[in-house]
Amino acid sequence: MGIVFVFGGQAVYIELDAIFASEGERRDFDYEFVLEDEVIASPVQVRGCVFNKTGIVSLNASAVYLLNASCARCGESVSRTESVNIDHTLISHSENDDNDYFIVVDNMRLDLDELVSEDIFLAMPSRYLCSEDCKGLCSICGANLNREACSCKRIADPRWDVLNDLFDN
Ligand SMILES: [Zn+2]
Ligand SMILES: [Zn+2]
């Protein structure tokens, strides 16, 4: 059984049967592709391998890209390198298809770009913060409370804490 891997939109033929057939077989890959998303500011660099360890064929890779987002509390830009682990077990057929961890490759094609994209989107938080303890903006004057302490009298009301917790989660 051979298999077509899609790397960066390019089809690459890999003899997966050789990997399934013999323990210790592995095939490395290292490529990049463009994933269109408003917070992804660079091509996605994918590095990893497909290997057979004691008869189990696994795909382990890391996907690295430059993140460019805005902090959900203060609006400052958040720019950092993100790394997502892509770990799956490949099986040649399945009675039970509904499993994200096992990737069934019986159609002779594994679109790695698509698999990596799905894992990247699954790993994305619903919002980004410049730091976990970002103080946000003053709700009255708009000052960035990470940089300055304004003199507004914000009323401490525990009911707002409940609301803030809701927004934070
Ligand atoms: Zn912030
Ligand atoms: Zn203020």
Side-chain angles (χ1 to χ4, degrees), residues 138 140-143 150-152 154:
C138 169
I140 297 163
C141 73
C150 66
S151 52
C152 298
R154 284 184 300 281

Side-chain angles (χ1 to χ4, degrees), residues 157-166:
D157 182 334
R159 282 176 298 176
W160 286 113
D161 291 344
V162 175
L163 275 179
N164 286 334
D165 284 350
L166 278 178

Side-chain angles (χ1 to χ4, degrees), residues 49-53 56-60 88-90 101:
C49 61
V50 184
F51 62 97
N52 179 333
K53 188 178 176 194
I56 312 271
V57 177
S58 301
L59 186 150
N60 290 165
H88 296 279
T89 292
L90 306 186
Y101 185 74

Side-chain angles (χ1 to χ4, degrees), residues 7-124:
F7 293 128
Q10 286 180 300
V12 176
Y13 190 77
I14 291 185
E15 283 293 338
L16 200 66
D17 56 346
I19 299 175
F20 269 103
S22 43
E23 290 184 18
E25 276 291 317
R26 75 181 261 161
R27 167 74 194 249
D28 296 308
F29 49 83
D30 183 347
Y31 76 103
E32 61 180 42
F33 72 104
V34 173
L35 179 55
E36 299 280 352
D37 189 80
E38 58 182 3
V39 300
I40 297 177
S42 74
V44 177
Q45 185 75 41
V46 186
R47 204 166 284 168
C49 61
V50 184
F51 62 97
N52 179 333
K53 188 178 176 194
T54 63
I56 312 271
V57 177
S58 301
L59 186 150
N60 290 165
S62 67
V64 177
Y65 63 92
L66 183 67
L67 170 85
N68 232 327
S70 299
C71 174
R73 282 188 202 147
C74 72
E76 291 288 302
S77 82
V78 179
S79 189
R80 61 173 185 243
T81 301
E82 292 280 78
S83 180
V84 177
N85 290 328
I86 318 288
D87 297 320
H88 296 279
T89 292
L90 306 186
I91 50 179
S92 51
H93 65 278
S94 170
E95 289 88 59
N96 180 353
D97 287 336
D98 224 6
N99 189 319
D100 286 342
Y101 185 74
F102 292 106
I103 303 297
V104 182
V105 288
D106 60 354
N107 61 357
M108 309 295 274
R109 190 180 168 92
L110 179 61
D111 192 329
L112 204 59
D113 297 356
E114 189 180 297
L115 182 64
V116 170
S117 303
E118 281 174 11
D119 284 358
I120 285 175
F121 289 130
L122 280 174
M124 275 184 181

